[in-house]
C-alpha cells in the first residue's frame, strides 16, 4: 500500500463523524456542549451534573471526548463535571501563539471565572496534566485538588531524552522532537491525522479496542486542519519556556494525585515517584496496572474509583 493510498484512507476515516453537541448528548446524564469566550478565545467545553466543579483537561492527540467513559459516573457522584478543549484543541479556538503552560493556565483561570467558579478540582491527562500542574502552581487560590495522569511537568531532564531508540527499550518519544519543527507537521499531517491517531493508540494501549474506530475518527477529525495540527504541536514546541517557568515556581500546596500506567516497563511510574514529591508538598501516587498511557479509556473504573476517593 502506497503512502498516497494510506492518506486517502485516512481522510475517508475522519469524515462524517458526530459533532460535539451530538457526542455530549450521547453520554448518560444531562451533558451539554457549549462555548465561552475568554481573553478573545472561544473555548469549547462539555458539562453535566451538579455540585463541586471538577475540571477535566485532555491530552495529545485527543479532545474532551477522551473522558467520555468517566464523566457520567463522576457527575452521578455529586459533581459538576466540565471537560474543556484547551486552546488549540477540539472545538476551541486555535491561536498562533501562547502555548506555554503558564499562559494556558491564565486562560484556564479566565475560563473558570467565566463559568462562575471561585475554586475547582482539576484533573489532566498527558498535556492536560502539565496544564493542571501549571494552573495549580500559578493560581493556587483557584485550585482545591489536582490529579495528574501519566505525565509530569517538563524539567531540564527532558533535554536528555535520546533521539534514537535504545535497543530493547519499549518506546522513544519521537513526536517530542517532531513537534518542535516549524511548519513541517502541518504539511505532513494535513489530511492524514488518522494515521497519527491510530499509531499513538495502537502503540500505547494494552487493549487496542478500548479506543474504538469511531472514537479514533472523532479525535482525528478534530485534529485534521493546519490550525489544529499547529495548536497540538505548539504545546510541545513550548516545552523550553515551560522548563524555564518551572524554575520560578514554588511547590504546589494543593493535594496532588498522580495516576500512572505501566508504560515503558515502569519508566513513567519511576519518573512520577521521583519528580512529584520535589514539586508538590502533598503527593499520592496510584499505579494503574495492566493499562497503557490512555488508561482513562482503558481502565475507566480505576479512574472513577481513584477520583471519587481523592476528590471527596
Amino acid at each position: 500500500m502506497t503512502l498516497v493510498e494510506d492518506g486517502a484512507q485516512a481522510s475517508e476515516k475522519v469524515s462524517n463523524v458526530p459533532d460535539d453537541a451530538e457526542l455530549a448528548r450521547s453520554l448518560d446524564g444531562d451533558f451539554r456542549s457549549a462555548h465561552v469566550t475568554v481573553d478573545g478565545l472561544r473555548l469549547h467545553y462539555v458539562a453535566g451534573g451538579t455540585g463541586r466543579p471538577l475540571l477535566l483537561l485532555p491530552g495529545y492527540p485527543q479532545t474532551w471526548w477522551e473522558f467520555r467513559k468517566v464523566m457520567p459516573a463522576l457527575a452521578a457522584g455529586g459533581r459538576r463535571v466540565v471537560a474543556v478543549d484547551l486552546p488549540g484543541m477540539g472545538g476551541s479556538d486555535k491561536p498562533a501563539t501562547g502555548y506555554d503552560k503558564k499562559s494556558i493556565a491564565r486562560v484556564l483561570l479566565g475560563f473558570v471565572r467565566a463559568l462562575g467558579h471561585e475554586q475547582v478540582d482539576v484533573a489532566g491527562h498527558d498535556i492536560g496534566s502539565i496544564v493542571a500542574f501549571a494552573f495549580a502552581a500559578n493560581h493556587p487560590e483557584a485550585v482545591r485538588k489536582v490529579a495528574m495522569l501519566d505525565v509530569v511537568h517538563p524539567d531540564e531532564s527532558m533535554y536528555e531524552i535520546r533521539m534514537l531508540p535504545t535497543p530493547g527499550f519499549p518506546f522513544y518519544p519521537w513526536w517530542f522532537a517532531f513537534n518542535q519543527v516549524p511548519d513541517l507537521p502541518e504539511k505532513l499531517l494535513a489530511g492524514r491525522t488518522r494515521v497519527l491517531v491510530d499509531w499513538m493508540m495502537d502503540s500505547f494501549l494494552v487493549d487496542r479496542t478500548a479506543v474504538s474506530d469511531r472514537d479514533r475518527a472523532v479525535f482525528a477529525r478534530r485534529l485534521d486542519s493546519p490550525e489544529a495540527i499547529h495548536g497540538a504541536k505548539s504545546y510541545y514546541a513550548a516545552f523550553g519556556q515551560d522548563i524555564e517557568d518551572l524554575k520560578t515556581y514554588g511547590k504546589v500546596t494543593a493535594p496532588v494525585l498522580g495516576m500512572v500506567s505501566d508504560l515503558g516497563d515502569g519508566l513513567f511510574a519511576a519518573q512520577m515517584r521521583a519528580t512529584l514529591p520535589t514539586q508538590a508538598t502533598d503527593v499520592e501516587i496510584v499505579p494503574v496496572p495492566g493499562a497503557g498511557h490512555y488508561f482513562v479509556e482503558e481502565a475507566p473504573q480505576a479512574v472513577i474509583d481513584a477520583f471519587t476517593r481523592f476528590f471527596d
Side-chain angles (χ1 to χ4, degrees), residues 86-100:
L86 296 167
M89 293 181 179
S92 291
D93 280 352
K94 298 163 182 64
T97 60
Y99 290 94
D100 64 277

Side-chain angles (χ1 to χ4, degrees), residues 245-262:
D245 287 337
L246 179 66
K247 297 174 184 178
T248 70
Y249 299 162
K251 281 191 173 184
V252 167
T253 55
V256 175
L257 170 69
M259 296 191 71
V260 63
S261 68
D262 286 338

